Amino acid sequence: LAIVFLGLRFVKVGALYHGVRAQSFMKLYVLYNMLSLFARLFYSLGEDLLDSLYGCCASAKMDYFRFVITFAANAVYMFLHSVFMFVQIMTLNVAINSNDKTLLIILISSQFVELKSSCFKKFGHKNLFQLACSDVVERFELLIFMIVLILVNMAEIGIGT
């Protein structure tokens, strides 16, 4: 975890922000939806990598080469996932700071797409539970993103200092 924090010090957040800000509304909409799609893929990959690391450490006979490779893969995953989440937060920050109602349109349209994809499907009990859990995680993540953005914007305009 410390390795990932050290690596994140070299990420230029300002360059990410201005790179996202230079995009048009339609590109911002596509970028946000692509980021939400890749977030699900990243979560799946991370879960598999962490399971692999746990299996490597929990085995009776520990293979140190396998442990080092798995640990390095987990560190790279955490770094990439952190940068990915920075880009997601920057996309929402650009949407909040824009003059038009981009944020509202992005959030509502992404929810309609999600509602449309799961509205007419028949779900079993296990699938419905998994869908509800993933929805709770997604909304909690969005809440955390919004809290971070509110704190960043408050710090930028000087409230609370």
Side-chain angles (χ1 to χ4, degrees), residues 53-133:
L53 183 64
Y54 176 74
C56 181
C57 293
S59 65
K61 184 178 178 186
M62 189 168 170
D63 182 14
Y64 290 106
F65 180 72
R66 181 176 169 224
F67 172 75
V68 168
I69 296 296
T70 308
F71 183 79
N74 273 291
V76 168
Y77 160 74
M78 281 192 246
F79 175 77
L80 291 176
H81 195 186
S82 299
V83 170
F84 177 77
M85 292 181 90
F86 273 148
V87 174
Q88 272 188 307
I89 289 175
M90 288 304 132
T91 305
L92 287 175
N93 196 13
V94 167
I96 285 174
N97 292 331
S98 66
N99 293 333
D100 53 1
K101 302 295 182 200
T102 309
L103 176 67
L104 184 63
I105 293 170
I106 285 176
L107 293 178
I108 290 175
S109 64
S110 66
Q111 295 302 318
F112 275 127
V113 169
E114 191 174 319
L115 181 66
K116 180 183 168 190
S117 68
S118 62
C119 186
F120 296 110
K121 291 182 181 177
K122 186 175 182 179
F123 292 108
H125 294 291
K126 288 185 179 182
N127 292 342
L128 189 60
F129 179 72
Q130 287 178 341
L131 183 68
C133 287

Coordinates of all heavy atoms in Angstrom, one line a residue, residues 53-133:
L53 N -3.6 -13.6 -4.1 CA -2.7 -13.3 -3.1 C -3.0 -14.0 -1.8 O -2.1 -14.5 -1.1 CB -2.6 -11.8 -2.9 CG -1.6 -11.3 -1.9 CD1 -0.2 -11.6 -2.4 CD2 -1.7 -9.8 -1.7
Y54 N -4.3 -14.1 -1.5 CA -4.7 -14.8 -0.2 C -4.4 -16.3 -0.4 O -3.9 -16.9 0.6 CB -6.1 -14.6 0.0 CG -6.6 -15.3 1.2 CD1 -6.3 -15.0 2.5 CD2 -7.4 -16.5 1.0 CE1 -6.7 -15.7 3.6 CE2 -7.8 -17.2 2.1 CZ -7.5 -16.8 3.4 OH -7.9 -17.5 4.5
G55 N -4.7 -16.8 -1.5 CA -4.4 -18.3 -1.7 C -2.9 -18.6 -1.7 O -2.5 -19.6 -1.2
C56 N -2.1 -17.6 -2.1 CA -0.6 -17.8 -2.1 C -0.1 -17.8 -0.7 O 0.8 -18.5 -0.3 CB 0.0 -16.7 -2.9 SG 1.8 -16.8 -3.0
C57 N -0.7 -16.9 0.1 CA -0.2 -16.7 1.5 C -0.8 -17.8 2.4 O -0.2 -18.1 3.5 CB -0.6 -15.3 2.0 SG 0.2 -14.0 1.2
A58 N -2.0 -18.3 2.1 CA -2.7 -19.3 3.0 C -2.2 -20.7 2.8 O -2.6 -21.6 3.5 CB -4.2 -19.1 2.8
S59 N -1.5 -20.9 1.7 CA -1.1 -22.3 1.4 C -0.1 -22.8 2.4 O 0.7 -22.0 3.0 CB -0.5 -22.4 0.0 OG 0.7 -21.7 -0.1
A60 N 0.0 -24.1 2.7 CA 0.9 -24.7 3.7 C 2.3 -24.5 3.2 O 3.2 -24.2 4.0 CB 0.5 -26.1 3.9
K61 N 2.6 -24.7 2.0 CA 3.9 -24.5 1.4 C 4.0 -23.3 0.6 O 3.4 -23.2 -0.5 CB 4.3 -25.8 0.6 CG 5.7 -25.7 0.1 CD 6.1 -26.9 -0.7 CE 7.5 -26.8 -1.2 NZ 7.9 -27.9 -2.1
M62 N 4.6 -22.3 1.1 CA 4.6 -21.0 0.4 C 5.7 -20.9 -0.6 O 6.9 -21.1 -0.3 CB 4.7 -19.8 1.5 CG 4.5 -18.5 0.9 SD 4.4 -17.3 2.3 CE 4.5 -15.8 1.4
D63 N 5.3 -20.5 -1.8 CA 6.3 -20.3 -2.9 C 6.6 -18.9 -3.0 O 5.7 -18.0 -3.3 CB 5.6 -20.8 -4.2 CG 6.6 -20.7 -5.4 OD1 7.8 -20.5 -5.2 OD2 6.1 -20.8 -6.5
Y64 N 7.8 -18.5 -2.7 CA 8.1 -17.0 -2.6 C 8.1 -16.4 -3.9 O 7.8 -15.2 -4.0 CB 9.5 -16.9 -1.8 CG 9.4 -17.2 -0.4 CD1 9.9 -18.4 0.1 CD2 8.7 -16.3 0.5 CE1 9.8 -18.7 1.5 CE2 8.6 -16.6 1.8 CZ 9.1 -17.8 2.3 OH 9.0 -18.1 3.6
F65 N 8.5 -17.1 -5.0 CA 8.5 -16.5 -6.3 C 7.1 -16.1 -6.7 O 6.8 -15.0 -7.2 CB 9.2 -17.4 -7.3 CG 9.2 -16.8 -8.7 CD1 10.0 -15.8 -9.0 CD2 8.3 -17.3 -9.7 CE1 10.0 -15.3 -10.3 CE2 8.3 -16.8 -10.9 CZ 9.1 -15.8 -11.3
R66 N 6.2 -17.1 -6.5 CA 4.8 -16.8 -6.8 C 4.2 -15.7 -5.9 O 3.4 -14.8 -6.4 CB 3.9 -18.1 -6.5 CG 2.5 -17.9 -6.9 CD 1.7 -19.2 -6.7 NE 0.3 -18.9 -6.8 CZ -0.6 -19.5 -6.0 NH1 -0.2 -20.3 -5.1 NH2 -1.8 -19.1 -6.1
F67 N 4.6 -15.6 -4.6 CA 4.2 -14.5 -3.8 C 4.7 -13.2 -4.3 O 3.9 -12.2 -4.3 CB 4.7 -14.8 -2.3 CG 4.4 -13.6 -1.4 CD1 3.2 -13.3 -0.9 CD2 5.5 -12.7 -1.1 CE1 2.9 -12.3 -0.1 CE2 5.2 -11.6 -0.2 CZ 4.0 -11.4 0.2
V68 N 5.9 -13.1 -4.7 CA 6.5 -11.8 -5.2 C 5.7 -11.4 -6.4 O 5.4 -10.2 -6.6 CB 8.0 -11.9 -5.4 CG1 8.5 -10.7 -6.1 CG2 8.7 -12.1 -4.1
I69 N 5.5 -12.3 -7.4 CA 4.8 -12.0 -8.6 C 3.4 -11.5 -8.3 O 2.9 -10.5 -8.9 CB 4.8 -13.2 -9.6 CG1 6.3 -13.5 -10.0 CG2 3.9 -12.9 -10.8 CD1 6.9 -12.4 -10.8
T70 N 2.7 -12.2 -7.4 CA 1.3 -11.9 -7.1 C 1.2 -10.5 -6.4 O 0.3 -9.7 -6.6 CB 0.7 -13.0 -6.2 OG1 0.9 -14.3 -6.9 CG2 -0.8 -12.8 -6.0
F71 N 2.2 -10.3 -5.5 CA 2.2 -9.1 -4.8 C 2.5 -7.9 -5.7 O 1.9 -6.8 -5.6 CB 3.3 -9.1 -3.7 CG 3.4 -7.9 -2.8 CD1 2.5 -7.7 -1.8 CD2 4.4 -6.9 -3.1 CE1 2.5 -6.5 -1.0 CE2 4.4 -5.8 -2.3 CZ 3.5 -5.6 -1.3
A72 N 3.4 -8.1 -6.7 CA 3.7 -7.0 -7.6 C 2.5 -6.8 -8.5 O 2.2 -5.6 -8.8 CB 4.9 -7.4 -8.5
A73 N 1.8 -7.8 -8.9 CA 0.6 -7.6 -9.7 C -0.5 -6.9 -8.9 O -1.2 -6.0 -9.5 CB 0.0 -9.0 -10.2
N74 N -0.6 -7.2 -7.7 CA -1.6 -6.4 -6.8 C -1.2 -5.0 -6.7 O -2.1 -4.1 -6.7 CB -1.7 -7.1 -5.4 CG -2.7 -8.2 -5.4 OD1 -3.9 -8.0 -5.6 ND2 -2.3 -9.4 -5.3
A75 N 0.1 -4.7 -6.5 CA 0.5 -3.3 -6.4 C 0.3 -2.5 -7.7 O -0.2 -1.4 -7.6 CB 2.0 -3.3 -6.0
V76 N 0.5 -3.2 -8.8 CA 0.3 -2.5 -10.1 C -1.2 -2.3 -10.3 O -1.7 -1.2 -10.7 CB 0.8 -3.3 -11.3 CG1 0.3 -2.8 -12.6 CG2 2.4 -3.3 -11.2
Y77 N -2.0 -3.3 -9.9 CA -3.5 -3.1 -10.0 C -4.0 -2.0 -9.1 O -4.8 -1.2 -9.5 CB -4.2 -4.4 -9.6 CG -5.6 -4.2 -9.2 CD1 -6.6 -4.0 -10.1 CD2 -6.0 -4.2 -7.8 CE1 -7.9 -3.7 -9.8 CE2 -7.3 -3.9 -7.5 CZ -8.3 -3.7 -8.5 OH -9.5 -3.4 -8.1
M78 N -3.5 -1.9 -7.9 CA -3.9 -0.8 -7.0 C -3.5 0.5 -7.5 O -4.3 1.5 -7.4 CB -3.4 -1.0 -5.6 CG -4.1 -2.1 -4.8 SD -3.6 -2.0 -3.1 CE -2.8 -3.5 -2.9
F79 N -2.3 0.7 -8.1 CA -1.9 1.9 -8.7 C -2.8 2.3 -9.8 O -3.3 3.4 -9.9 CB -0.5 1.9 -9.1 CG 0.0 3.1 -9.8 CD1 0.3 4.2 -9.1 CD2 0.1 3.1 -11.2 CE1 0.7 5.4 -9.7 CE2 0.5 4.3 -11.8 CZ 0.8 5.4 -11.1
L80 N -3.0 1.4 -10.7 CA -3.9 1.7 -11.9 C -5.3 2.0 -11.5 O -6.0 2.9 -12.1 CB -3.8 0.5 -12.9 CG -2.5 0.3 -13.6 CD1 -2.5 -0.9 -14.5 CD2 -2.1 1.5 -14.4
H81 N -5.8 1.2 -10.5 CA -7.2 1.5 -10.1 C -7.3 2.9 -9.4 O -8.3 3.6 -9.6 CB -7.6 0.4 -9.1 CG -9.1 0.3 -8.9 ND1 -9.7 -0.5 -8.0 CD2 -10.1 1.0 -9.5 CE1 -11.0 -0.3 -8.0 NE2 -11.3 0.6 -8.9
S82 N -6.3 3.3 -8.7 CA -6.3 4.6 -8.0 C -6.3 5.7 -9.1 O -7.0 6.7 -9.0 CB -5.1 4.7 -7.1 OG -5.2 3.8 -6.1
V83 N -5.4 5.5 -10.1 CA -5.4 6.5 -11.2 C -6.7 6.6 -11.9 O -7.3 7.6 -12.2 CB -4.2 6.2 -12.1 CG1 -4.3 7.1 -13.4 CG2 -2.9 6.4 -11.5
F84 N -7.3 5.4 -12.1 CA -8.6 5.3 -12.7 C -9.7 6.0 -11.9 O -10.5 6.7 -12.5 CB -8.9 3.8 -12.9 CG -10.3 3.5 -13.5 CD1 -10.5 3.7 -14.8 CD2 -11.3 3.1 -12.7 CE1 -11.7 3.4 -15.4 CE2 -12.6 2.9 -13.2 CZ -12.7 3.0 -14.6
M85 N -9.7 5.9 -10.6 CA -10.6 6.6 -9.8 C -10.4 8.1 -9.8 O -11.3 8.8 -9.7 CB -10.6 6.0 -8.4 CG -11.2 4.6 -8.3 SD -11.2 3.9 -6.7 CE -12.8 4.4 -6.2
F86 N -9.1 8.5 -9.9 CA -8.8 9.9 -10.0 C -9.5 10.5 -11.3 O -10.1 11.6 -11.2 CB -7.3 10.2 -10.1 CG -6.6 10.3 -8.8 CD1 -5.3 9.9 -8.7 CD2 -7.2 10.9 -7.7 CE1 -4.6 10.0 -7.5 CE2 -6.5 11.0 -6.5 CZ -5.2 10.6 -6.4
V87 N -9.4 9.7 -12.4 CA -10.0 10.2 -13.6 C -11.5 10.3 -13.4 O -12.2 11.2 -13.9 CB -9.6 9.3 -14.8 CG1 -10.4 9.7 -16.1 CG2 -8.1 9.4 -15.0
Q88 N -12.1 9.3 -12.7 CA -13.6 9.3 -12.5 C -13.9 10.6 -11.7 O -14.9 11.3 -12.0 CB -14.0 8.1 -11.7 CG -14.4 6.9 -12.6 CD -15.0 5.8 -11.8 OE1 -14.4 5.4 -10.8 NE2 -16.2 5.4 -12.2
I89 N -13.2 10.9 -10.6 CA -13.5 12.0 -9.8 C -13.3 13.3 -10.6 O -14.0 14.2 -10.5 CB -12.6 12.0 -8.5 CG1 -13.1 10.9 -7.6 CG2 -12.6 13.3 -7.8 CD1 -12.3 10.7 -6.4
M90 N -12.2 13.3 -11.4 CA -12.0 14.5 -12.3 C -13.1 14.7 -13.3 O -13.5 15.9 -13.5 CB -10.7 14.4 -13.0 CG -9.4 14.6 -12.2 SD -9.5 16.1 -11.3 CE -9.1 15.5 -9.6
T91 N -13.6 13.7 -13.8 CA -14.8 13.8 -14.7 C -16.0 14.4 -14.0 O -16.6 15.3 -14.6 CB -15.1 12.4 -15.3 OG1 -14.0 11.8 -16.0 CG2 -16.2 12.5 -16.4
L92 N -16.3 13.9 -12.8 CA -17.4 14.5 -12.1 C -17.1 15.9 -11.7 O -18.0 16.8 -11.7 CB -17.7 13.6 -10.9 CG -18.4 12.3 -11.1 CD1 -18.5 11.5 -9.9 CD2 -19.7 12.5 -11.8
N93 N -15.8 16.2 -11.4 CA -15.5 17.6 -11.0 C -15.6 18.6 -12.2 O -16.1 19.7 -12.0 CB -14.0 17.6 -10.5 CG -13.7 18.9 -9.7 OD1 -14.6 19.7 -9.4 ND2 -12.4 19.1 -9.5
V94 N -15.3 18.1 -13.4 CA -15.5 18.9 -14.6 C -17.0 19.2 -14.8 O -17.4 20.3 -15.1 CB -14.8 18.3 -15.8 CG1 -15.3 18.9 -17.1 CG2 -13.3 18.4 -15.7
A95 N -17.8 18.1 -14.6 CA -19.2 18.2 -14.8 C -19.8 19.2 -13.7 O -20.7 20.0 -14.1 CB -19.9 16.8 -14.7
I96 N -19.3 19.2 -12.5 CA -19.8 20.1 -11.5 C -19.5 21.5 -11.8 O -20.3 22.4 -11.6 CB -19.3 19.7 -10.1 CG1 -20.0 18.4 -9.6 CG2 -19.5 20.8 -9.1 CD1 -19.5 17.9 -8.3
N97 N -18.2 21.7 -12.2 CA -17.8 23.1 -12.4 C -18.2 23.7 -13.8 O -17.8 24.8 -14.1 CB -16.2 23.1 -12.3 CG -15.8 22.9 -10.8 OD1 -16.6 23.2 -9.9 ND2 -14.7 22.3 -10.7
S98 N -18.9 22.9 -14.6 CA -19.3 23.5 -15.9 C -20.5 24.4 -15.7 O -21.2 24.3 -14.7 CB -19.6 22.3 -16.9 OG -20.8 21.6 -16.4
N99 N -20.7 25.2 -16.7 CA -21.8 26.2 -16.5 C -23.2 25.6 -16.8 O -24.1 26.1 -16.3 CB -21.5 27.4 -17.5 CG -20.4 28.2 -17.1 OD1 -20.0 28.2 -15.9 ND2 -19.7 28.8 -18.1
D100 N -23.2 24.6 -17.7 CA -24.5 24.0 -17.9 C -24.8 22.9 -17.0 O -24.1 22.7 -16.0 CB -24.6 23.5 -19.4 CG -23.4 22.6 -19.8 OD1 -22.6 22.4 -18.9 OD2 -23.4 22.2 -20.9
K101 N -25.9 22.2 -17.2 CA -26.3 21.1 -16.3 C -25.7 19.8 -16.7 O -26.4 18.7 -16.7 CB -27.8 21.0 -16.3 CG -28.5 22.3 -15.9 CD -28.1 22.7 -14.4 CE -28.8 23.9 -14.0 NZ -28.2 24.6 -12.9
T102 N -24.4 19.7 -17.0 CA -23.8 18.5 -17.5 C -23.9 17.4 -16.4 O -24.1 16.2 -16.8 CB -22.3 18.8 -17.8 OG1 -22.3 19.9 -18.7 CG2 -21.7 17.6 -18.5
L103 N -23.6 17.7 -15.2 CA -23.6 16.7 -14.1 C -24.9 16.0 -14.0 O -25.0 14.8 -14.0 CB -23.2 17.3 -12.8 CG -23.3 16.3 -11.6 CD1 -22.2 15.3 -11.7 CD2 -23.1 17.0 -10.3
L104 N -26.0 16.8 -14.0 CA -27.3 16.3 -13.8 C -27.6 15.4 -15.0 O -28.2 14.3 -14.9 CB -28.3 17.4 -13.8 CG -29.8 17.0 -13.5 CD1 -29.9 16.3 -12.2 CD2 -30.7 18.2 -13.6
I105 N -27.3 15.8 -16.2 CA -27.5 15.0 -17.4 C -26.7 13.7 -17.4 O -27.3 12.6 -17.7 CB -27.2 15.8 -18.7 CG1 -28.2 17.0 -18.8 CG2 -27.3 15.0 -19.9 CD1 -27.9 18.0 -19.9
I106 N -25.5 13.8 -17.0 CA -24.6 12.6 -16.9 C -25.2 11.6 -15.9 O -25.4 10.4 -16.2 CB -23.2 12.9 -16.6 CG1 -22.5 13.5 -17.8 CG2 -22.4 11.7 -16.2 CD1 -21.1 14.0 -17.5
L107 N -25.5 12.0 -14.7 CA -26.0 11.1 -13.7 C -27.4 10.5 -14.1 O -27.6 9.3 -13.9 CB -26.1 11.8 -12.4 CG -24.7 12.2 -11.8 CD1 -25.0 13.0 -10.5 CD2 -23.9 11.0 -11.5
I108 N -28.3 11.3 -14.6 CA -29.6 10.8 -14.9 C -29.5 9.9 -16.1 O -30.2 8.8 -16.1 CB -30.6 12.0 -15.2 CG1 -30.9 12.7 -13.8 CG2 -31.9 11.5 -15.8 CD1 -31.7 13.9 -14.0
S109 N -28.8 10.2 -17.1 CA -28.7 9.3 -18.3 C -28.0 8.0 -18.0 O -28.5 7.0 -18.5 CB -28.0 10.0 -19.4 OG -26.6 10.3 -19.0
S110 N -27.0 8.0 -17.1 CA -26.4 6.8 -16.7 C -27.3 5.9 -15.9 O -27.3 4.7 -16.1 CB -25.1 7.0 -16.0 OG -25.3 7.6 -14.8
Q111 N -28.2 6.5 -15.1 CA -29.1 5.7 -14.3 C -30.2 5.2 -15.2 O -30.7 4.1 -15.0 CB -29.7 6.6 -13.2 CG -28.7 7.0 -12.2 CD -28.1 5.9 -11.5 OE1 -28.7 4.9 -11.2 NE2 -26.8 6.0 -11.3
F112 N -30.7 5.9 -16.2 CA -31.6 5.4 -17.2 C -31.1 4.2 -18.0 O -31.8 3.3 -18.2 CB -32.1 6.5 -18.1 CG -33.2 7.3 -17.6 CD1 -33.1 8.7 -17.5 CD2 -34.4 6.7 -17.1 CE1 -34.2 9.5 -17.0 CE2 -35.4 7.5 -16.5 CZ -35.3 8.9 -16.5
V113 N -29.9 4.3 -18.4 CA -29.3 3.2 -19.1 C -29.2 2.0 -18.2 O -29.5 0.9 -18.7 CB -27.8 3.6 -19.6 CG1 -27.1 2.4 -20.1 CG2 -27.9 4.7 -20.7
E114 N -28.8 2.1 -17.0 CA -28.8 1.0 -16.1 C -30.2 0.4 -15.8 O -30.4 -0.8 -15.8 CB -28.1 1.4 -14.8 CG -27.8 0.3 -13.8 CD -27.0 0.8 -12.6 OE1 -26.2 1.7 -12.8 OE2 -27.3 0.3 -11.5
L115 N -31.1 1.3 -15.6 CA -32.5 0.9 -15.4 C -33.1 0.1 -16.6 O -33.7 -0.9 -16.5 CB -33.4 2.1 -15.1 CG -34.9 1.8 -14.8 CD1 -35.0 1.0 -13.5 CD2 -35.6 3.1 -14.7
K116 N -32.8 0.7 -17.8 CA -33.3 0.0 -19.0 C -32.7 -1.4 -19.2 O -33.3 -2.3 -19.6 CB -32.9 0.9 -20.2 CG -33.4 0.3 -21.5 CD -32.9 1.2 -22.7 CE -33.1 0.5 -24.0 NZ -32.4 1.3 -25.1
S117 N -31.4 -1.5 -18.8 CA -30.8 -2.8 -19.0 C -31.2 -3.9 -18.1 O -31.1 -5.1 -18.3 CB -29.2 -2.7 -18.9 OG -28.9 -2.4 -17.6
S118 N -31.8 -3.5 -16.9 CA -32.2 -4.5 -15.9 C -33.7 -4.5 -15.7 O -34.2 -5.2 -14.8 CB -31.5 -4.3 -14.6 OG -31.8 -3.1 -14.1
C119 N -34.5 -3.7 -16.4 CA -35.9 -3.5 -16.1 C -36.7 -4.8 -16.4 O -37.6 -5.2 -15.6 CB -36.4 -2.3 -16.8 SG -38.1 -1.9 -16.3
F120 N -36.6 -5.3 -17.6 CA -37.4 -6.4 -18.0 C -36.8 -7.8 -17.9 O -37.3 -8.7 -18.5 CB -37.9 -6.1 -19.4 CG -38.7 -4.9 -19.6 CD1 -38.2 -3.8 -20.2 CD2 -40.0 -4.8 -19.0 CE1 -38.9 -2.6 -20.3 CE2 -40.7 -3.6 -19.1 CZ -40.2 -2.5 -19.8
K121 N -35.8 -7.9 -17.1 CA -35.2 -9.2 -16.9 C -35.8 -9.9 -15.7 O -36.2 -9.3 -14.8 CB -33.7 -9.1 -16.7 CG -32.9 -8.6 -18.0 CD -31.5 -8.5 -17.7 CE -30.7 -8.0 -18.9 NZ -29.3 -7.9 -18.6
K122 N -35.8 -11.2 -15.8 CA -36.2 -12.0 -14.7 C -35.0 -12.4 -13.8 O -34.1 -13.0 -14.4 CB -37.0 -13.2 -15.2 CG -37.6 -14.0 -14.0 CD -38.5 -15.2 -14.6 CE -39.1 -15.9 -13.5 NZ -40.0 -17.0 -13.9
F123 N -35.0 -12.1 -12.6 CA -33.9 -12.4 -11.7 C -34.3 -13.5 -10.7 O -35.4 -13.4 -10.1 CB -33.4 -11.2 -11.0 CG -32.8 -10.1 -11.9 CD1 -33.5 -9.0 -12.2 CD2 -31.6 -10.3 -12.4 CE1 -32.9 -8.0 -13.0 CE2 -31.0 -9.4 -13.2 CZ -31.7 -8.2 -13.5
G124 N -33.3 -14.3 -10.4 CA -33.5 -15.3 -9.2 C -33.1 -14.5 -8.0 O -32.7 -13.4 -8.0
H125 N -33.2 -15.3 -6.8 CA -32.9 -14.6 -5.6 C -31.4 -14.3 -5.4 O -31.1 -13.2 -5.0 CB -33.3 -15.6 -4.4 CG -34.8 -15.8 -4.3 ND1 -35.6 -14.8 -3.9 CD2 -35.5 -16.9 -4.6 CE1 -36.9 -15.3 -3.9 NE2 -36.8 -16.6 -4.3
K126 N -30.5 -15.1 -5.9 CA -29.1 -14.9 -5.8 C -28.7 -13.7 -6.7 O -28.0 -12.8 -6.3 CB -28.3 -16.1 -6.1 CG -28.3 -17.1 -5.1 CD -27.4 -18.3 -5.4 CE -27.4 -19.3 -4.3 NZ -26.5 -20.4 -4.5
N127 N -29.2 -13.7 -7.9 CA -28.9 -12.7 -8.9 C -29.5 -11.3 -8.4 O -28.8 -10.3 -8.6 CB -29.5 -13.0 -10.3 CG -28.7 -14.1 -10.9 OD1 -27.7 -14.5 -10.5 ND2 -29.4 -14.7 -11.9
L128 N -30.7 -11.3 -7.8 CA -31.2 -10.1 -7.3 C -30.4 -9.5 -6.2 O -30.2 -8.3 -6.1 CB -32.7 -10.3 -6.9 CG -33.5 -9.1 -6.6 CD1 -33.5 -8.1 -7.8 CD2 -34.9 -9.5 -6.2
F129 N -29.9 -10.4 -5.3 CA -29.1 -10.0 -4.2 C -27.8 -9.4 -4.7 O -27.4 -8.4 -4.2 CB -28.8 -11.2 -3.2 CG -28.0 -10.9 -2.1 CD1 -28.5 -10.1 -1.0 CD2 -26.7 -11.3 -2.0 CE1 -27.7 -9.7 0.0 CE2 -25.8 -11.0 -1.0 CZ -26.3 -10.2 0.1
Q130 N -27.2 -10.1 -5.7 CA -25.9 -9.5 -6.2 C -26.2 -8.2 -6.9 O -25.3 -7.3 -6.8 CB -25.3 -10.5 -7.3 CG -24.7 -11.7 -6.6 CD -24.2 -12.7 -7.7 OE1 -24.6 -12.6 -8.9 NE2 -23.3 -13.6 -7.3
L131 N -27.3 -8.0 -7.6 CA -27.6 -6.7 -8.2 C -27.8 -5.7 -7.2 O -27.4 -4.5 -7.3 CB -28.9 -6.9 -9.1 CG -29.3 -5.7 -9.9 CD1 -28.3 -5.4 -11.0 CD2 -30.7 -5.9 -10.4
A132 N -28.5 -6.0 -6.1 CA -28.7 -5.0 -5.0 C -27.4 -4.6 -4.3 O -27.2 -3.5 -4.1 CB -29.7 -5.6 -4.0
C133 N -26.6 -5.6 -4.1 CA -25.3 -5.3 -3.5 C -24.4 -4.4 -4.4 O -23.8 -3.5 -3.9 CB -24.5 -6.6 -3.2 SG -25.2 -7.5 -1.8

